[in-house]
Amino acid sequence: MSRSAELTARQHRNLVAAQRVRFITDSIDGSLRDDDFRRYLVIEEEFVLTAVRILGLVVAESESLDDATDHVVSLSNLVGEQREYFAGLREQFPYDGDVHELIESSSVLSNYALGLARRDGRAAALVAMFAAETLYLSWCRAAMDTSVDREPALQDWIEMHTRPAFVAQVDALAREVDAMDDMDDATLDEWFVGMLAAEMDFHNAAMR
């Protein structure tokens, strides 16, 4: 079994727990309210900027073009497809509350991920992103396997996280974890579970 597969196997219980937050369960079963979706769009767009910053650090600390290439492609997807997704929904799903307050209420995820990357460097950044993207691939696949009517924009977001481009992004992160021969399991677990815990707080911030 690969290093990344061993990591996700050890963290199976935490991955399942992270998928049980109400935002995810409501998205899967089709019951997510528009107001909750509006809040999610605000905080998720903000986190996309955080992900760009983290992957920028990963690229900056890459030792070769080969090491950087997959993450440059991921950056392109974030500032391309995902940026366009959010921009296209701002008029359709306007948020009339205090945007700064909402973003602050969800800042635990950005604070954890950026703090970890800046403190512990490239490996920590990659494990954190692997945790986040593994979670998203898992719950979005579960949603795709659940035949319910959803808000089309939410359905588009779910489909985006099961398409080949996103799966390739997760696979690239997995390969990075596989190559971390100098990292002990306890350190990988700490980074991974910390990111999942922050993801749970983040998703809870979208809900009333």
Side-chain angles (χ1 to χ4, degrees), residues 47-89:
F47 184 73
V48 168
L49 176 58
T50 296
V52 167
R53 289 170 172 157
I54 292 171
L55 290 179
L57 181 150
V58 168
V59 171
E61 293 191 5
S62 296
E63 296 183 356
S64 70
L65 285 175
D66 287 343
D67 289 342
T69 296
D70 286 332
H71 309 301
V72 172
V73 172
S74 296
L75 277 168
S76 178
N77 291 337
L78 289 170
V79 301
E81 183 180 33
Q82 292 203 17
R83 179 172 174 268
E84 292 169 4
Y85 172 83
F86 290 108
L89 292 178

Short mmCIF file of all heavy atoms in Angstrom, two decimals, residues 47-89:
data_model
loop_
_atom_site.label_atom_id
_atom_site.label_comp_id
_atom_site.label_asym_id
_atom_site.label_seq_id
_atom_site.Cartn_x
_atom_site.Cartn_y
_atom_site.Cartn_z
N PHE A 47 -11.50 31.08 0.43
CA PHE A 47 -10.52 30.02 0.64
C PHE A 47 -9.79 29.65 -0.65
O PHE A 47 -8.64 29.20 -0.58
CB PHE A 47 -11.14 28.77 1.26
CG PHE A 47 -10.09 27.73 1.56
CD1 PHE A 47 -9.22 27.91 2.62
CD2 PHE A 47 -9.93 26.62 0.75
CE1 PHE A 47 -8.19 27.00 2.87
CE2 PHE A 47 -8.92 25.70 0.99
CZ PHE A 47 -8.05 25.90 2.06
N VAL A 48 -10.42 29.84 -1.79
CA VAL A 48 -9.71 29.59 -3.04
C VAL A 48 -8.47 30.48 -3.12
O VAL A 48 -7.40 30.03 -3.56
CB VAL A 48 -10.64 29.82 -4.25
CG1 VAL A 48 -9.85 29.87 -5.55
CG2 VAL A 48 -11.67 28.70 -4.33
N LEU A 49 -8.58 31.71 -2.66
CA LEU A 49 -7.40 32.59 -2.61
C LEU A 49 -6.35 32.01 -1.68
O LEU A 49 -5.14 32.04 -2.00
CB LEU A 49 -7.80 33.99 -2.17
CG LEU A 49 -6.66 34.99 -1.97
CD1 LEU A 49 -5.85 35.15 -3.25
CD2 LEU A 49 -7.21 36.33 -1.50
N THR A 50 -6.77 31.46 -0.54
CA THR A 50 -5.83 30.81 0.37
C THR A 50 -5.13 29.64 -0.32
O THR A 50 -3.92 29.46 -0.20
CB THR A 50 -6.55 30.32 1.63
OG1 THR A 50 -7.06 31.45 2.35
CG2 THR A 50 -5.62 29.54 2.54
N ALA A 51 -5.90 28.83 -1.04
CA ALA A 51 -5.31 27.69 -1.74
C ALA A 51 -4.29 28.15 -2.78
O ALA A 51 -3.25 27.51 -2.96
CB ALA A 51 -6.42 26.86 -2.40
N VAL A 52 -4.58 29.25 -3.45
CA VAL A 52 -3.62 29.81 -4.41
C VAL A 52 -2.33 30.19 -3.69
O VAL A 52 -1.22 29.91 -4.19
CB VAL A 52 -4.24 31.03 -5.13
CG1 VAL A 52 -3.17 31.82 -5.88
CG2 VAL A 52 -5.34 30.58 -6.08
N ARG A 53 -2.45 30.81 -2.55
CA ARG A 53 -1.27 31.21 -1.79
C ARG A 53 -0.46 29.98 -1.34
O ARG A 53 0.77 29.98 -1.40
CB ARG A 53 -1.69 32.04 -0.57
CG ARG A 53 -2.19 33.43 -0.92
CD ARG A 53 -2.82 34.11 0.27
NE ARG A 53 -3.15 35.50 -0.01
CZ ARG A 53 -4.07 36.21 0.64
NH1 ARG A 53 -4.75 35.64 1.63
NH2 ARG A 53 -4.29 37.46 0.32
N ILE A 54 -1.16 28.96 -0.89
CA ILE A 54 -0.47 27.75 -0.44
C ILE A 54 0.26 27.08 -1.59
O ILE A 54 1.44 26.69 -1.47
CB ILE A 54 -1.47 26.78 0.22
CG1 ILE A 54 -1.99 27.36 1.54
CG2 ILE A 54 -0.82 25.41 0.46
CD1 ILE A 54 -3.14 26.58 2.13
N LEU A 55 -0.41 26.93 -2.72
CA LEU A 55 0.24 26.29 -3.87
C LEU A 55 1.35 27.17 -4.42
O LEU A 55 2.34 26.65 -4.97
CB LEU A 55 -0.79 25.97 -4.95
CG LEU A 55 -1.77 24.84 -4.59
CD1 LEU A 55 -2.75 24.62 -5.72
CD2 LEU A 55 -1.03 23.54 -4.28
N GLY A 56 1.22 28.48 -4.27
CA GLY A 56 2.32 29.35 -4.64
C GLY A 56 3.56 29.06 -3.81
O GLY A 56 4.68 29.04 -4.34
N LEU A 57 3.36 28.81 -2.53
CA LEU A 57 4.48 28.43 -1.67
C LEU A 57 5.06 27.10 -2.11
O LEU A 57 6.29 26.94 -2.15
CB LEU A 57 4.01 28.35 -0.22
CG LEU A 57 5.05 27.99 0.85
CD1 LEU A 57 4.67 28.63 2.19
CD2 LEU A 57 5.16 26.48 1.04
N VAL A 58 4.20 26.15 -2.43
CA VAL A 58 4.66 24.84 -2.90
C VAL A 58 5.52 24.99 -4.15
O VAL A 58 6.60 24.40 -4.27
CB VAL A 58 3.46 23.91 -3.16
CG1 VAL A 58 3.90 22.66 -3.93
CG2 VAL A 58 2.79 23.51 -1.85
N VAL A 59 5.04 25.78 -5.10
CA VAL A 59 5.80 26.00 -6.33
C VAL A 59 7.13 26.68 -6.04
O VAL A 59 8.18 26.30 -6.57
CB VAL A 59 4.96 26.82 -7.34
CG1 VAL A 59 5.81 27.25 -8.53
CG2 VAL A 59 3.76 26.01 -7.81
N ALA A 60 7.08 27.68 -5.15
CA ALA A 60 8.31 28.42 -4.83
C ALA A 60 9.37 27.52 -4.20
O ALA A 60 10.57 27.75 -4.38
CB ALA A 60 7.99 29.58 -3.90
N GLU A 61 8.93 26.50 -3.48
CA GLU A 61 9.87 25.61 -2.81
C GLU A 61 10.16 24.34 -3.60
O GLU A 61 10.85 23.45 -3.12
CB GLU A 61 9.35 25.25 -1.41
CG GLU A 61 9.31 26.45 -0.47
CD GLU A 61 9.05 26.06 0.98
OE1 GLU A 61 8.99 24.85 1.28
OE2 GLU A 61 8.90 26.97 1.80
N SER A 62 9.64 24.26 -4.82
CA SER A 62 9.93 23.11 -5.68
C SER A 62 11.35 23.20 -6.21
O SER A 62 11.84 24.29 -6.53
CB SER A 62 8.94 23.04 -6.85
OG SER A 62 7.62 22.83 -6.38
N GLU A 63 12.02 22.07 -6.32
CA GLU A 63 13.43 22.05 -6.71
C GLU A 63 13.65 21.85 -8.20
O GLU A 63 14.79 21.93 -8.67
CB GLU A 63 14.16 20.96 -5.91
CG GLU A 63 14.18 21.24 -4.41
CD GLU A 63 14.95 20.20 -3.63
OE1 GLU A 63 15.41 19.22 -4.26
OE2 GLU A 63 15.10 20.38 -2.41
N SER A 64 12.57 21.58 -8.94
CA SER A 64 12.71 21.41 -10.38
C SER A 64 11.39 21.74 -11.05
O SER A 64 10.35 21.83 -10.39
CB SER A 64 13.10 19.96 -10.72
OG SER A 64 12.00 19.09 -10.46
N LEU A 65 11.44 21.92 -12.37
CA LEU A 65 10.21 22.16 -13.11
C LEU A 65 9.26 20.97 -12.99
O LEU A 65 8.04 21.14 -12.91
CB LEU A 65 10.54 22.43 -14.59
CG LEU A 65 11.14 23.81 -14.90
CD1 LEU A 65 11.53 23.88 -16.37
CD2 LEU A 65 10.15 24.92 -14.56
N ASP A 66 9.81 19.76 -12.99
CA ASP A 66 8.97 18.58 -12.84
C ASP A 66 8.23 18.60 -11.50
O ASP A 66 7.06 18.23 -11.43
CB ASP A 66 9.81 17.31 -12.95
CG ASP A 66 10.27 17.03 -14.37
OD1 ASP A 66 9.68 17.60 -15.31
OD2 ASP A 66 11.22 16.25 -14.54
N ASP A 67 8.93 19.01 -10.43
CA ASP A 67 8.30 19.07 -9.12
C ASP A 67 7.19 20.12 -9.08
O ASP A 67 6.22 19.99 -8.32
CB ASP A 67 9.34 19.42 -8.04
CG ASP A 67 10.30 18.27 -7.78
OD1 ASP A 67 9.97 17.12 -8.15
OD2 ASP A 67 11.38 18.52 -7.21
N ALA A 68 7.35 21.17 -9.86
CA ALA A 68 6.40 22.28 -9.81
C ALA A 68 5.21 22.11 -10.74
O ALA A 68 4.13 22.67 -10.48
CB ALA A 68 7.12 23.58 -10.17
N THR A 69 5.36 21.33 -11.80
CA THR A 69 4.39 21.34 -12.90
C THR A 69 2.96 21.03 -12.47
O THR A 69 2.02 21.76 -12.81
CB THR A 69 4.83 20.35 -14.00
OG1 THR A 69 6.07 20.80 -14.54
CG2 THR A 69 3.79 20.29 -15.11
N ASP A 70 2.76 19.95 -11.73
CA ASP A 70 1.40 19.57 -11.33
C ASP A 70 0.73 20.69 -10.54
O ASP A 70 -0.48 20.93 -10.67
CB ASP A 70 1.42 18.30 -10.48
CG ASP A 70 1.70 17.05 -11.31
OD1 ASP A 70 1.36 17.04 -12.50
OD2 ASP A 70 2.26 16.09 -10.75
N HIS A 71 1.49 21.37 -9.71
CA HIS A 71 0.92 22.39 -8.84
C HIS A 71 0.66 23.70 -9.58
O HIS A 71 -0.26 24.43 -9.25
CB HIS A 71 1.82 22.58 -7.63
CG HIS A 71 2.15 21.27 -6.97
ND1 HIS A 71 1.16 20.44 -6.46
CD2 HIS A 71 3.33 20.61 -6.80
CE1 HIS A 71 1.74 19.33 -5.99
NE2 HIS A 71 3.04 19.42 -6.19
N VAL A 72 1.44 23.94 -10.64
CA VAL A 72 1.15 25.07 -11.52
C VAL A 72 -0.17 24.82 -12.24
O VAL A 72 -0.99 25.73 -12.40
CB VAL A 72 2.29 25.29 -12.52
CG1 VAL A 72 1.91 26.33 -13.57
CG2 VAL A 72 3.55 25.74 -11.79
N VAL A 73 -0.40 23.58 -12.67
CA VAL A 73 -1.67 23.23 -13.31
C VAL A 73 -2.83 23.43 -12.33
O VAL A 73 -3.88 23.98 -12.68
CB VAL A 73 -1.64 21.78 -13.82
CG1 VAL A 73 -3.03 21.36 -14.31
CG2 VAL A 73 -0.62 21.63 -14.94
N SER A 74 -2.64 23.02 -11.08
CA SER A 74 -3.68 23.21 -10.05
C SER A 74 -3.95 24.69 -9.84
O SER A 74 -5.11 25.11 -9.70
CB SER A 74 -3.26 22.55 -8.74
OG SER A 74 -3.15 21.15 -8.89
N LEU A 75 -2.89 25.48 -9.78
CA LEU A 75 -3.06 26.93 -9.66
C LEU A 75 -3.87 27.49 -10.82
O LEU A 75 -4.75 28.34 -10.63
CB LEU A 75 -1.69 27.61 -9.62
CG LEU A 75 -0.98 27.67 -8.27
CD1 LEU A 75 0.47 28.11 -8.46
CD2 LEU A 75 -1.69 28.64 -7.34
N SER A 76 -3.59 27.00 -12.01
CA SER A 76 -4.32 27.45 -13.19
C SER A 76 -5.80 27.13 -13.08
O SER A 76 -6.66 27.94 -13.45
CB SER A 76 -3.73 26.80 -14.44
OG SER A 76 -4.44 27.19 -15.60
N ASN A 77 -6.11 25.94 -12.55
CA ASN A 77 -7.52 25.57 -12.36
C ASN A 77 -8.20 26.48 -11.35
O ASN A 77 -9.37 26.86 -11.51
CB ASN A 77 -7.63 24.12 -11.90
CG ASN A 77 -7.22 23.13 -12.98
OD1 ASN A 77 -7.26 23.45 -14.17
ND2 ASN A 77 -6.82 21.94 -12.58
N LEU A 78 -7.49 26.84 -10.29
CA LEU A 78 -8.07 27.69 -9.25
C LEU A 78 -8.35 29.10 -9.76
O LEU A 78 -9.41 29.67 -9.49
CB LEU A 78 -7.13 27.75 -8.04
CG LEU A 78 -7.02 26.48 -7.20
CD1 LEU A 78 -5.88 26.60 -6.19
CD2 LEU A 78 -8.33 26.18 -6.47
N VAL A 79 -7.39 29.68 -10.48
CA VAL A 79 -7.57 31.05 -10.96
C VAL A 79 -8.32 31.10 -12.28
O VAL A 79 -8.68 32.18 -12.76
CB VAL A 79 -6.21 31.79 -11.09
CG1 VAL A 79 -5.49 31.82 -9.75
CG2 VAL A 79 -5.33 31.15 -12.15
N GLY A 80 -8.58 29.93 -12.86
CA GLY A 80 -9.34 29.85 -14.09
C GLY A 80 -10.77 29.38 -13.83
O GLY A 80 -11.66 30.19 -13.57
N GLU A 81 -10.97 28.08 -13.86
CA GLU A 81 -12.32 27.51 -13.74
C GLU A 81 -13.02 27.92 -12.45
O GLU A 81 -14.18 28.32 -12.46
CB GLU A 81 -12.23 25.98 -13.83
CG GLU A 81 -13.59 25.29 -13.79
CD GLU A 81 -13.48 23.78 -13.88
OE1 GLU A 81 -12.47 23.22 -13.39
OE2 GLU A 81 -14.40 23.16 -14.45
N GLN A 82 -12.31 27.81 -11.32
CA GLN A 82 -12.98 28.10 -10.05
C GLN A 82 -13.26 29.60 -9.88
O GLN A 82 -14.33 30.00 -9.41
CB GLN A 82 -12.18 27.54 -8.88
CG GLN A 82 -12.17 26.02 -8.86
CD GLN A 82 -11.89 25.44 -7.50
OE1 GLN A 82 -12.00 26.10 -6.48
NE2 GLN A 82 -11.54 24.18 -7.47
N ARG A 83 -12.32 30.44 -10.26
CA ARG A 83 -12.55 31.88 -10.19
C ARG A 83 -13.75 32.27 -11.05
O ARG A 83 -14.60 33.08 -10.63
CB ARG A 83 -11.30 32.63 -10.66
CG ARG A 83 -11.42 34.14 -10.65
CD ARG A 83 -10.07 34.78 -10.93
NE ARG A 83 -10.17 36.21 -11.07
CZ ARG A 83 -10.36 36.85 -12.23
NH1 ARG A 83 -10.49 36.14 -13.34
NH2 ARG A 83 -10.43 38.16 -12.27
N GLU A 84 -13.84 31.73 -12.25
CA GLU A 84 -14.96 32.02 -13.13
C GLU A 84 -16.28 31.53 -12.54
O GLU A 84 -17.33 32.16 -12.71
CB GLU A 84 -14.71 31.40 -14.51
CG GLU A 84 -13.57 32.06 -15.27
CD GLU A 84 -13.17 31.28 -16.50
OE1 GLU A 84 -13.84 30.26 -16.80
OE2 GLU A 84 -12.19 31.66 -17.15
N TYR A 85 -16.23 30.39 -11.85
CA TYR A 85 -17.44 29.85 -11.23
C TYR A 85 -18.01 30.85 -10.24
O TYR A 85 -19.21 31.17 -10.27
CB TYR A 85 -17.10 28.53 -10.54
CG TYR A 85 -18.22 27.96 -9.70
CD1 TYR A 85 -19.24 27.20 -10.27
CD2 TYR A 85 -18.27 28.19 -8.32
CE1 TYR A 85 -20.26 26.68 -9.49
CE2 TYR A 85 -19.29 27.68 -7.54
CZ TYR A 85 -20.29 26.93 -8.13
OH TYR A 85 -21.31 26.44 -7.36
N PHE A 86 -17.19 31.34 -9.34
CA PHE A 86 -17.68 32.26 -8.32
C PHE A 86 -18.11 33.59 -8.93
O PHE A 86 -19.14 34.14 -8.54
CB PHE A 86 -16.61 32.48 -7.25
CG PHE A 86 -16.37 31.27 -6.40
CD1 PHE A 86 -15.20 30.53 -6.53
CD2 PHE A 86 -17.31 30.84 -5.48
CE1 PHE A 86 -14.97 29.41 -5.76
CE2 PHE A 86 -17.10 29.71 -4.71
CZ PHE A 86 -15.93 28.99 -4.85
N ALA A 87 -17.33 34.10 -9.87
CA ALA A 87 -17.68 35.37 -10.49
C ALA A 87 -19.04 35.28 -11.19
O ALA A 87 -19.82 36.24 -11.16
CB ALA A 87 -16.60 35.77 -11.49
N GLY A 88 -19.33 34.13 -11.77
CA GLY A 88 -20.58 33.96 -12.48
C GLY A 88 -21.80 33.86 -11.59
O GLY A 88 -22.93 33.97 -12.07
N LEU A 89 -21.59 33.65 -10.29
CA LEU A 89 -22.73 33.46 -9.38
C LEU A 89 -22.98 34.64 -8.45
O LEU A 89 -23.94 34.62 -7.69
CB LEU A 89 -22.50 32.20 -8.53
CG LEU A 89 -22.53 30.87 -9.27
CD1 LEU A 89 -22.24 29.73 -8.32
CD2 LEU A 89 -23.87 30.65 -9.96
#
